[in-house]
Amino acid sequence: MAKKKTKTSKKSSSKKLPSFKVSNQQKIIFGSLLMLISIACVIAFISFFSTWQQDQSLLKEFGDRQAEAKNWLNKFGASISHLFIYKGFGIAAFIFPVLLFQTGFCLFLNKSSKQLINRWFWGIIVSIWLAIFFGFFADDAPLLGGVVGFEMNDFLRAYIGVIGVVLLLLFVFITYCVARLGITPQKIKSLFLTTQEEFKAAFKSNKVNAEAETNTAEQQEEETKTAAINYATDADTTSDVDIENSFEVKIAEEESPAVSTKHPSNTEVKDDELKIEVEKVEEEKEEPDNLSDRLVKDFGEFDPKLALSNYKFPTLELLNDYGSGSITINQEELEENKNRIVDTLKNYKIDISQIKATIGPTVTLYEIVPAAGVRISKIKNLEDDIALSLSALGIRIIAPIPGKGTIGIEVPNKKSTIVSMRSVIAAKKFQNAEMELPIAFGKTISNETFVVDLAKMPHLLMAGATGQGKSVGLNAILTSLLYKKHPAEVKFVLVDPKKVELTLFNKIERHFLAKLPDSEEAIITDNTKVINTLNSLCIEMDNRYELLKNAMVRNIKEYNAKFKARKLNPNDGHQFLPYIVLVIDEFADLIMTAGKEVETPIARLAQLARAIGIHLIIATQRPSVNVITGIIKANFPARVAFRVTSKIDSRTILDSPGADQLIGRGDMLYTQGNDLTRLQCAFVDTPEVEKITDYIGGQRAYPDAHLLPEYVGEDSGTGVDIDISERDALFREAAEVIVIAQQGSASLLQRKLKLGYNRAGRIIDQLEAAGIVGPFEGSKARQVLVTDMAALDQLLSNE
């Protein structure tokens, strides 16, 4: 059999046609040429309409060097324009330079050319339609529709008449609108209804403003409390089979229909801002509720997505399809493995009453039921012997399987199946997941899509040796969130000491990334900036907890729900809070260079940041005890382990062995503090990530990345006197606020004086120089050195 296969392979290889590959440099050169030719054609076409009559006599004298044409591109311009416009399609000829420029542009940037064929097809259809349309109004061979339009009109009129030509043009126009532009009667109706609702909302807003202007001067003096609310308005199945005599195997695969990730469109309302003057009454507690109810009734709930209301989520077509994902059954392999397991156990006088198999993408789970009286530890000790008999890498025995009265033996398949990211994203389990931060890791041993919520982990620790799938796992996590969350709902803080793993996400900086105010790049590669960023996140955490306390809620979900219901006033510092996901790619390198400076803020974030929506994902290839310390492990209940080199590393990351028995290439173990789950991580390649980031980065974005609070290190304190003349205009007022509250923090000045963080930080530095507050103490508030207002007056008067 083997000889026959080699012969057929030789024959097939000899019949292969020679392949022609174009290098990147050749694509750039050819693309530049096409773009320049298209520009030249446009210039010639424009000039043709004013010079074509003078150049008619020169068309036959193209080889005469003495003859000169009036066209801006001389005889070449006159000839090419005469061919495309006069002899061709008339005005519609301008479509061809546009198509030519797009083709050259795709080659120049080495982009995918799959859509070019579609564009050329529809471009030619439109040019023919326009030629016939303009030729319909021409009496003789003209410039509007060219010879093509004139002759086709003449032909059509001879067979179907003038009315038939009109009906044919109308039919082609409707077909183009529906097939190409996606215009349907339902969409036109919904657009009309949306416009009508916007008109009604604008009318109501004008009515409210008109009523507010009718207040008398006396009423305006009594109305001391103004609520200026700047709300941006709306904007598994298993394949368990008994293996007894016939050992028949059937697989019930999980359904993974090509479901497109569609999200409901946002209802846009033009009145983005509303100012309402509210009379101050004794029962102040009821006032916000009444106001919020009135606002929700008139304008609906606040929609944080309004700023990017036209944002389109990535489509499934951006991800590669590696086949249907169906598992190939090798009946001979299953029967052979079953017999070897049974024979090995019989050699040690261990009888089994039943055995069944669950076939996964890369691993098959054989579940055995031992006979009565057999000790489980006896089977567990035979792990190496079973691995030897099966001649397989990565045998793992689960004794017993939690929740079942069986013992599991996981055996790698000889031929594994690729679990594509596309199949995981398209699965109903991910599409219908009602989670705050859903992550689709891959598929389980029973071929089920495995989806978890990062918000409930609440932090993730990931480890694995080099080349075992750790970077692909990080890309799978980020890709899952990009497919489910709007840029207004989640922000990423990416730390990449290796400087190469996460660079592709630079393209979505203004959509999804967060950074320090003084940082040029959002992806952090310098260890010093990592320390500043971590401390900045601690400040952000403290500020968010302050907002939650003032809003009288317990977590970010309740806070955002209350803010959307317009029950929190932005003038009091309230705002919609996006989730923040911190991703550190190589944690061991940070610990080696920074040590406690990194570990301390990470431990603080891990302990406290869950409730306010800051979640950590830390990855390392060296899960040693000096890198993953006890403090880190205690606050990271969710762990992911790819293949590691030793049982010690497996126990460090998982608190149990098993990760050293994995087979690599995305084979992983996941735990959230209870049982281990073996998964095959979904494969997402670098070109796929690049296409996703290009798709998102090409859309309208925010003016800048999400800015974290400014952090000034201990060595960066003022320490020098600041000239009194350079003090802020609100210096005295700020000093009074600090002394009265006996709390020296920039966030306090932000809330009380309605300042930005940078200005509040400068005032704090001036107060330090004046001796009113103490030096910087990390994330804690500064000490107030002045006890009361009398001492403050005396201090300032002596300056």
Side-chain angles (χ1 to χ4, degrees):
M1 296 296 291
K3 291 181 180 179
K4 290 182 180 180
K5 289 183 180 179
T6 55
K7 288 181 180 179
T8 55
S9 63
K10 288 180 180 179
K11 288 181 180 179
S12 61
S13 62
S14 62
K15 293 181 180 179
K16 286 184 179 179
L17 295 175
S19 59
F20 178 72
K21 294 184 179 180
V22 181
S23 66
N24 190 35
Q25 291 86 349
Q26 291 172 333
K27 288 182 179 180
I28 294 174
I29 295 171
F30 189 58
S32 304
L33 177 62
L34 292 181
M35 288 191 288
L36 293 175
I37 290 175
S38 64
I39 295 172
C41 288
V42 171
I43 295 172
F45 289 177
I46 294 173
S47 175
F48 179 78
F49 283 96
S50 59
T51 62
W52 70 277
Q53 291 179 334
Q54 297 95 313
D55 293 339
Q56 284 292 312
S57 60
L58 297 175
L59 295 175
K60 296 180 181 180
E61 303 175 5
F62 189 84
D64 186 5
R65 293 188 178 182
Q66 302 299 324
E68 290 189 4
K70 298 295 183 181
N71 192 287
W72 292 342
L73 290 183
N74 213 317
K75 286 181 285 187
F76 170 78
S79 301
I80 198 75
S81 302
H82 181 78
L83 176 64
F84 275 89
I85 298 178
Y86 192 88
K87 292 282 189 181
F89 300 89
I91 295 177
F94 280 93
I95 293 175
F96 291 96
V98 174
L99 295 173
L100 198 64
F101 186 88
Q102 290 179 345
T103 304
F105 187 72
C106 288
L107 288 173
F108 186 81
L109 296 182
N110 198 15
K111 287 189 173 182
S112 175
S113 58
K114 292 181 180 179
Q115 296 181 352
L116 283 177
I117 298 176
N118 193 33
R119 290 178 182 175
W120 274 95
F121 172 78
W122 285 109
I124 293 173
I125 295 295
V126 171
S127 61
I128 294 174
W129 187 90
L130 288 174
I132 298 175
F133 177 78
F134 287 119
F136 184 81
F137 301 100
D139 296 330
D140 51 7
L143 295 180
L144 289 178
V147 173
V148 171
F150 179 80
E151 293 295 338
M152 292 190 73
N153 262 283
D154 190 46
F155 173 80
L156 291 172
R157 288 185 184 186
Y159 282 92
I160 60 177
V162 176
I163 297 176
V165 175
V166 173
L167 295 177
L168 180 62
L169 289 172
L170 183 60
F171 172 73
V172 175
F173 177 76
I174 294 173
T175 303
Y176 179 80
C177 290
V178 175
R180 178 63 172 167
L181 303 180
I183 298 175
T184 60
Q186 293 80 4
K187 287 187 177 181
I188 296 174
K189 181 180 178 181
S190 62
L191 179 64
F192 174 77
L193 293 176
T194 303
T195 307
Q196 191 176 19
E197 290 176 1
E198 291 177 354
F199 177 77
K200 289 180 180 179
F203 178 77
K204 288 182 180 180
S205 176
N206 293 333
K207 187 176 179 180
V208 172
N209 292 333
E211 290 176 357
E213 290 176 358
T214 58
N215 292 334
T216 61
E218 294 179 358
Q219 290 174 330
Q220 291 177 357
E221 291 177 0
E222 294 176 357
E223 293 170 350
T224 57
K225 184 177 181 179
T226 302
I229 305 177
N230 298 320
Y231 271 46
T233 58
D234 283 11
D236 278 27
T237 59
T238 64
S239 55
D240 300 342
V241 181
D242 290 340
I243 304 181
E244 297 175 346
N245 298 325
S246 61
F247 195 61
E248 295 180 358
V249 180
K250 295 181 181 178
I251 298 180
E253 297 182 14
E254 180 189 25
E255 296 182 0
S256 300
V259 182
S260 60
T261 52
K262 295 184 179 178
H263 296 255
S265 58
N266 303 318
T267 304
E268 299 181 5
V269 180
K270 291 183 178 179
D271 297 284
D272 293 341
E273 298 182 354
L274 175 66
K275 288 190 176 181
I276 300 179
E277 296 185 353
V278 184
E279 293 185 3
K280 186 177 181 182
V281 294
E282 293 181 0
E283 298 180 359
E284 293 183 356
K285 293 182 180 179
E286 297 181 1
E287 181 186 340
D289 294 334
N290 295 335
L291 176 61
S292 64
D293 292 341
R294 195 159 68 244
L295 288 170
V296 171
K297 183 178 179 181
D298 289 342
F299 299 100
E301 288 192 345
F302 166 71
D303 186 5
K305 304 174 185 177
L306 181 64
L308 296 182
S309 58
N310 295 324
Y311 173 79
K312 294 181 180 179
F313 287 80
T315 60
L316 284 175
E317 285 68 26
L318 299 173
L319 295 171
N320 294 339
D321 188 3
Y322 295 97
S324 60
S326 59
I327 298 173
T328 303
I329 305 172
N330 190 332
Q331 192 73 35
E332 294 180 1
E333 181 184 348
L334 291 173
E335 186 71 26
E336 184 181 357
N337 287 341
K338 183 264 286 190
N339 293 333
R340 287 183 176 180
I341 291 173
V342 173
D343 292 342
T344 302
L345 294 176
K346 282 184 179 180
N347 291 337
Y348 292 92
K349 298 180 181 181
I350 298 174
D351 295 328
I352 60 175
S353 60
Q354 187 182 3
I355 181 170
K356 60 180 181 179
T358 303
I359 305 173
T362 56
V363 176
T364 297
L365 172 64
Y366 295 87
E367 294 184 57
I368 61 175
V369 179
V374 176
R375 299 180 64 180
I376 294 176
S377 59
K378 193 174 182 181
I379 299 177
K380 180 68 176 175
N381 293 333
L382 296 176
E383 186 171 5
D384 294 335
D385 299 279
I386 296 174
L388 178 63
S389 66
L390 294 174
S391 302
L393 174 66
I395 298 296
R396 179 170 168 264
I397 294 181
I398 311 169
I401 296 177
K404 295 183 180 181
T406 60
I407 295 173
I409 302 175
E410 293 176 349
V411 181
N413 299 334
K414 292 182 179 178
K415 184 179 180 181
S416 60
T417 303
I418 296 178
V419 176
S420 66
M421 196 71 203
R422 178 168 181 160
S423 65
V424 173
I425 294 293
K428 290 182 179 179
K429 195 168 185 180
F430 180 76
Q431 292 290 320
N432 302 330
E434 295 182 358
M435 301 176 179
E436 295 299 312
L437 297 173
I439 294 174
F441 271 118
K443 292 191 176 182
T444 64
I445 202 169
S446 56
N447 205 33
E448 291 181 34
T449 299
F450 188 79
V451 183
V452 290
D453 190 358
L454 177 61
K456 292 183 178 179
M457 288 185 187
H459 311 294
L460 177 64
L461 190 60
M462 183 183 293
T466 302
Q468 303 304 315
K470 182 164 46 59
S471 297
V472 175
L474 287 177
N475 285 337
I477 293 173
L478 295 174
T479 301
S480 300
L481 296 176
L482 292 178
Y483 266 88
K484 287 290 281 187
K485 307 305 290 183
H486 189 276
E489 297 174 316
V490 64
K491 302 295 179 184
F492 301 124
V493 178
L494 303 181
V495 178
D496 184 15
K498 290 190 288 188
K499 304 180 182 180
V500 293
E501 295 293 345
L502 302 174
T503 52
L504 287 176
F505 294 94
N506 261 328
K507 300 174 185 177
I508 59 172
E509 175 180 335
R510 294 189 296 140
H511 290 88
F512 282 100
L513 300 191
K515 66 177 184 179
L516 293 173
D518 58 344
S519 297
E520 295 181 2
E521 295 184 358
I523 297 179
I524 306 159
T525 56
D526 182 24
N527 288 342
T528 304
K529 290 186 178 179
V530 174
I531 298 170
N532 293 342
T533 302
L534 292 175
N535 285 285
S536 175
L537 285 173
C538 290
I539 297 172
E540 175 73 12
M541 177 180 70
D542 295 335
N543 293 342
R544 288 191 173 198
Y545 269 117
E546 187 71 21
L547 292 175
L548 263 61
K549 183 188 76 172
N550 295 336
M552 292 182 290
V553 293
R554 296 178 301 170
N555 54 54
I556 186 175
K557 189 174 180 180
E558 295 177 4
Y559 177 88
N560 284 336
K562 201 169 184 178
F563 187 82
K564 287 181 179 179
R566 304 182 184 278
K567 294 181 180 179
L568 301 174
N569 194 335
N571 280 352
D572 295 334
H574 292 293
Q575 59 183 323
F576 181 83
L577 301 178
Y579 285 92
I580 296 178
V581 180
L582 169 65
V583 179
I584 301 178
D585 185 30
E586 188 44 71
F587 185 61
D589 183 65
L590 295 180
I591 291 295
M592 289 175 60
T593 55
K596 289 290 183 182
E597 289 182 284
V598 168
E599 184 181 352
T600 301
I602 282 182
R604 188 162 183 264
L605 288 170
Q607 290 170 348
L608 300 174
R610 173 182 183 176
I612 44 85
I614 299 178
H615 302 279
L616 281 62
I617 300 174
I618 293 177
T620 180
Q621 62 182 5
R622 287 198 302 108
S624 54
V625 291
N626 61 334
V627 174
I628 303 175
T629 61
I631 297 176
I632 297 294
K633 288 181 63 175
N635 294 289
F636 284 78
R639 319 268 178 82
V640 165
F642 293 91
R643 188 173 182 232
V644 294
T645 54
S646 66
K647 283 185 171 59
I648 297 175
D649 289 345
S650 179
R651 290 186 182 278
T652 303
I653 182 68
L654 296 175
D655 295 326
S656 65
D660 55 312
Q661 296 294 330
L662 299 176
I663 61 175
R665 296 179 62 84
D667 190 19
M668 57 179 270
L669 291 172
Y670 171 82
T671 180
Q672 200 168 347
N674 39 32
D675 302 327
L676 290 176
T677 304
R678 190 165 185 174
L679 306 170
Q680 177 60 39
C681 183
F683 179 68
V684 52
D685 204 1
T686 301
E688 296 177 77
V689 177
E690 186 175 8
K691 285 190 284 187
I692 294 171
T693 54
D694 284 339
Y695 182 87
I696 295 174
Q699 301 184 51
R700 180 172 172 263
Y702 295 107
D704 197 2
H706 182 78
L707 296 181
L708 299 173
E710 188 176 4
Y711 171 78
V712 180
E714 294 182 5
D715 297 334
S716 303
T718 54
V720 295
D721 293 333
I722 297 177
D723 191 2
I724 297 177
S725 61
E726 297 178 358
R727 286 179 178 173
D728 194 280
L730 295 176
F731 174 83
R732 172 78 189 201
E733 190 174 351
E736 294 175 356
V737 169
I738 293 295
V739 171
I740 292 173
Q742 286 294 298
Q743 180 183 348
S745 67
S747 59
L748 177 66
L749 296 182
Q750 283 182 269
R751 294 193 304 274
K752 295 296 184 181
L753 302 180
K754 298 180 177 59
L755 303 176
Y757 189 87
N758 292 337
R759 187 179 180 186
R762 286 194 298 270
I763 294 177
I764 286 291
D765 292 339
Q766 295 170 6
L767 292 173
E768 179 188 351
I772 298 174
V773 297
F776 184 82
E777 297 182 13
S779 59
K780 295 191 293 185
R782 296 175 185 242
Q783 182 182 1
V784 181
L785 304 178
V786 179
T787 56
D788 52 24
M789 293 298 296
L792 176 64
D793 292 336
Q794 184 177 359
L795 176 65
L796 296 180
S797 62
N798 292 334
E799 292 181 342

